[in-house]
Amino acid sequence: MERGVVTHHMPCNLQTLRCNHLLLHSKNLRKPRHLSCKATSDRVDRRGVLLSGAAAVAGGLATQRNNSAIAAPIRPPDLGNCRPIQHDNLNCCPPYCPTTEIVDFRPPSDSSLRKRRAAHRLVNDQEYLCKYELAVARMKALPDSDPRSFSQQWRVHCAYCEGAYPQVGFPDREIQIHGGWLFFPWHRLYLYFHERILGKLIGDDNFALPFWNWDAREGMTLPAIYTNEHSLLYDKKRNPMHQPPVTVDLDYGCHDDNPTLPREEKNLKIMYRQMVSNTKTKELFFGKPYRQGDMPHQGSGNIELLPHNTVHNWTGDPNMPNCGEDMGVLRSAARDPVFFAHHGNIDRMWNIWKTCLPTSPNTDLTCSDWLDASFLFYDEEARLVRVHVRDCLDTTALGYTYEDVHLDWLQARPSVAEGDPELADGPTDKLFPRTLDNETVRAEVERKKILTSPKKEGEEEVLVIRDIEIANYQRRVKFDVFVNAPKGLTDTAAAQCVGSVALTPHAKQGSMKQTEARFGISDLLQAIHAEGAEKVVVSIVPRSGGDAVTIGGVSI
């Protein structure tokens, strides 16, 4: 192979690399810090307990007896009290020593901004691919005892999403970074530290992860840089039916595997609904509050439900164990390098929501229980870092930005499906609670306060699906929600569809209890000329896993 040139079919690993300019950088790479202790699950870091503060712990223990949450932010986990995942004894706990010093996060001092680029635009950028694959190669070459190693990096996500960490002071309540307002900030910080480690391993402070631009027409396939079987960015545990040129299905319901269906325009309409109509309040975007002492899964924001969960489910191989490894189940999702590109685009949605929408400028939450929530990550120097949500609100302060891509979906407002609304099966108090099974449920729902245009700033009518209980964490679940839908309507790109509940399976056993879903319906009611109606018909249409779903009620 010619010097300085890397062909697309050949990985840039340590054996085949001929990019001499990158190898020169590696001479300045520091040796990994020596860690004297390996991962343990039976030793407790007393400093970790102290992190919460004596008063907070005492308050937490007192509140535990009352079986209710306290008004306090989620605290960093006690890494010495990390538990294996229940059903297969998987240990997601990081390497840890009780003597490890915990340092507070400081923003990077680099003056330049790293630019995260759209993955589909990188297929011919051999210099970038060489760097990316070299960084992953070096991460995979680190010993398992190093928390920066690839084998430990994917376990970070597993530990925080599968209940490995109990809340300090609440041993029966897990720390959970899905299903509530921690979803966006935790994943932003996870990608930040992962990206910094990769850059450090190749001596390049400007290295940036790509993002999977599934919200743009040209980015709606699995990015080519991840599909080369000889590349370190490849993962064999992906759905074989969803390889390029198959278009990603942002509305994926687990049984929609017809690769010939045109999906680009539908995807754009769904993106409009999810990003514009369905995120007009902070709670609709971020999810419900989740504080110290709360049970997990208080209620996801709409972007987490879809397209986050649907892209996870679409990518993972359903023929693999545990409901679709790697991407299709949360415990193993970060074993696939495309995970980080997927979440790069999710993180980008946070920036877009704040700056680029008709409702912008949107602002972050100001509640101290959100801002002061904190986590522990290992950084590029293998230091254990305590970082708060308030540290990650500005991506430029973290040293990165995103490449500009035209937002086609801003002009893709869903259109109204023709036909008279289907009649209800009955009022909500007669229909719920009930298990969905495979039948559509149509409930007559009263509007407690009729909002008509023009509305006050920040005023939004919200449809709430209450007390959703999933009988089995390991099931793929999706159901769609419509308002005043004509008979037989199942098209989720129609204006009458208010949104969907889509869940990505966990590996652990047990049930998900009393979560809820919330959807903004002001745009919908205006589109179907129902702003003055005293009642509407809400249809809940199960797509997958309905027999595992029980709904407690519906209200507006």
Side-chain angles (χ1 to χ4, degrees):
M1 184 171 64
E2 187 177 338
R3 293 178 72 85
V5 177
V6 181
T7 58
H8 181 60
H9 68 275
M10 183 167 266
C12 293
N13 57 33
L14 295 179
Q15 288 73 38
T16 63
L17 181 67
R18 293 296 183 269
C19 297
N20 293 336
H21 59 292
L22 289 181
L23 291 176
L24 288 174
H25 284 298
S26 68
K27 293 180 180 180
N28 297 321
L29 183 65
R30 287 188 186 179
K31 293 181 179 179
R33 290 186 172 204
H34 175 67
L35 300 178
S36 58
C37 299
K38 296 184 178 180
T40 62
S41 59
D42 57 353
R43 303 181 71 174
V44 178
D45 178 11
R46 299 303 172 190
R47 278 189 325 283
V49 176
L50 292 174
L51 285 175
S52 301
V57 173
L61 293 173
T63 308
Q64 184 184 358
R65 289 191 291 270
N66 296 327
N67 198 33
S68 62
I70 59 177
I74 291 293
R75 304 292 182 179
D78 172 5
L79 298 190
N81 189 22
C82 185
R83 307 173 293 201
I85 306 306
Q86 295 172 350
H87 89 289
D88 60 359
N89 205 35
L90 174 69
N91 189 351
C92 289
C93 303
Y96 171 68
C97 282
T99 58
T100 301
E101 178 186 4
I102 299 175
V103 299
D104 286 316
F105 175 76
R106 291 183 179 180
S109 57
D110 314 72
S111 57
S112 60
L113 287 177
R114 306 184 303 280
K115 179 173 284 189
R116 294 180 179 174
R117 297 163 60 193
H120 68 273
R121 295 180 174 180
L122 294 169
V123 65
N124 294 318
D125 189 337
Q126 296 300 333
E127 181 180 355
Y128 176 82
L129 290 178
C130 190
K131 288 182 178 182
Y132 192 6
E133 293 189 2
L134 176 63
V136 173
R138 290 187 171 172
M139 182 177 277
K140 290 189 173 185
L142 291 174
D144 287 352
S145 59
D146 191 320
R148 303 172 303 170
S149 66
F150 191 84
S151 65
Q152 294 299 339
Q153 282 291 296
W154 71 261
R155 284 180 166 86
V156 175
H157 185 261
C158 177
Y160 272 98
C161 75
E162 291 286 9
Y165 297 128
Q167 297 179 28
V168 174
F170 297 87
D172 63 332
R173 313 233 169 140
E174 68 186 61
I175 296 176
Q176 176 56 251
I177 45 84
H178 295 94
W181 69 6
L182 297 183
F183 171 75
F184 276 103
W186 187 92
H187 285 84
R188 171 171 286 181
L189 290 165
Y190 180 42
L191 263 65
Y192 168 81
F193 285 106
H194 186 79
E195 182 176 75
R196 296 281 291 185
I197 292 169
L198 289 171
K200 182 68 176 181
L201 290 173
I202 57 172
D204 185 356
D205 290 338
N206 290 318
F207 175 80
L209 288 163
F211 63 92
W212 181 0
N213 196 190
W214 32 249
D215 62 304
R217 286 186 179 90
E218 62 271 24
M220 288 183 188
T221 61
L222 193 67
I225 66 172
Y226 295 96
T227 62
N228 174 9
E229 294 184 10
H230 300 286
S231 170
L232 291 170
L233 306 181
Y234 178 76
D235 187 309
K236 65 181 181 181
K237 294 181 179 180
R238 297 178 188 147
N239 194 325
M241 297 183 67
H242 295 164
Q243 301 306 299
V246 176
T247 303
V248 67
D249 185 359
L250 301 185
D251 188 46
Y252 186 59
C254 306
H255 301 294
D256 311 323
D257 280 326
N258 185 344
T260 64
L261 290 176
R263 293 197 175 102
E264 289 86 354
E265 296 307 313
K266 181 178 180 180
N267 283 342
L268 295 177
K269 290 179 180 180
I270 286 172
M271 284 301 305
Y272 181 97
R273 183 192 71 211
Q274 293 300 97
M275 282 294 292
V276 180
S277 300
N278 242 342
T279 59
K280 290 186 177 181
T281 71
K282 296 177 183 182
E283 188 170 275
L284 289 172
F285 182 75
F286 288 104
K288 291 205 68 181
Y290 171 54
R291 299 179 170 92
Q292 191 83 344
D294 278 339
M295 294 297 289
H297 300 290
Q298 291 292 305
S300 299
N302 279 299
I303 300 303
E304 181 183 357
L305 291 174
L306 189 158
H308 168 260
N309 287 347
T310 49
V311 172
H312 267 286
N313 293 339
W314 182 87
T315 307
D317 187 351
N319 297 315
M320 291 292 160
N322 301 310
C323 313
E325 293 183 352
D326 280 333
M327 274 281 282
V329 60
L330 291 177
R331 77 153 201 180
S332 57
R335 288 198 299 223
D336 187 339
V338 83
F339 169 96
F340 299 95
H342 173 40
H343 273 276
N345 209 32
I346 293 293
D347 182 65
R348 176 173 162 262
M349 292 301 121
W350 186 358
N351 278 4
I352 290 170
W353 178 78
K354 289 203 288 188
T355 59
C356 300
L357 302 184
T359 56
S360 298
N362 292 310
T363 57
D364 292 317
L365 297 164
T366 57
C367 175
S368 61
D369 289 342
W370 184 70
L371 293 170
D372 292 334
S374 50
F375 319 102
L376 295 175
F377 291 95
Y378 284 96
D379 70 3
E380 65 270 22
E381 301 287 355
R383 295 174 299 195
L384 189 57
V385 179
R386 176 175 48 240
V387 59
H388 296 79
V389 167
R390 66 172 68 248
D391 295 324
C392 75
L393 305 184
D394 181 1
T395 61
T396 59
L398 293 176
Y400 73 91
T401 186
Y402 285 99
E403 176 182 27
D404 287 334
V405 179
H406 182 66
L407 303 177
D408 296 334
W409 45 266
L410 276 179
Q411 290 76 43
R413 187 174 187 137
S415 56
V416 177
E418 298 297 328
D420 295 329
E422 182 81 298
L423 297 177
D425 301 327
T428 56
D429 59 345
K430 301 294 184 182
L431 297 176
F432 300 102
R434 69 180 294 162
T435 300
L436 287 185
D437 292 321
N438 294 314
E439 296 182 359
T440 297
V441 181
R442 300 175 184 85
E444 185 179 74
V445 184
E446 293 186 5
R447 297 170 67 195
K448 296 179 181 178
K449 180 182 179 182
I450 297 177
L451 301 179
T452 57
S453 296
K455 299 177 180 62
K456 297 178 182 178
E457 184 177 353
E459 196 174 40
E460 177 70 5
E461 206 157 348
V462 177
L463 173 66
V464 183
I465 312 295
R466 303 193 318 273
D467 299 333
I468 304 171
E469 189 168 332
I470 312 299
N472 187 342
Y473 271 115
Q474 299 178 14
R475 293 288 298 276
R476 284 187 176 186
V477 166
K478 186 174 190 292
F479 60 86
D480 305 324
V481 183
F482 295 80
V483 171
N484 285 6
K487 183 177 181 179
L489 178 65
T490 59
D491 181 8
T492 52
Q496 287 95 329
C497 182
V498 69
S500 302
V501 173
L503 300 177
T504 298
H506 290 259
K508 61 185 178 182
Q509 295 174 335
S511 61
M512 184 187 298
K513 296 186 178 181
Q514 307 218 348
T515 188
E516 69 176 39
R518 304 170 72 86
F519 306 100
I521 61 172
S522 293
D523 279 3
L524 185 155
L525 293 173
Q526 183 179 16
I528 64 175
H529 306 294
E531 285 187 293
E534 295 182 357
K535 300 176 182 180
V536 296
V537 176
V538 175
S539 300
I540 301 175
V541 183
R543 290 267 294 279
S544 57
D547 59 320
V549 180
T550 299
I551 291 175
V554 180
S555 61
I556 297 175

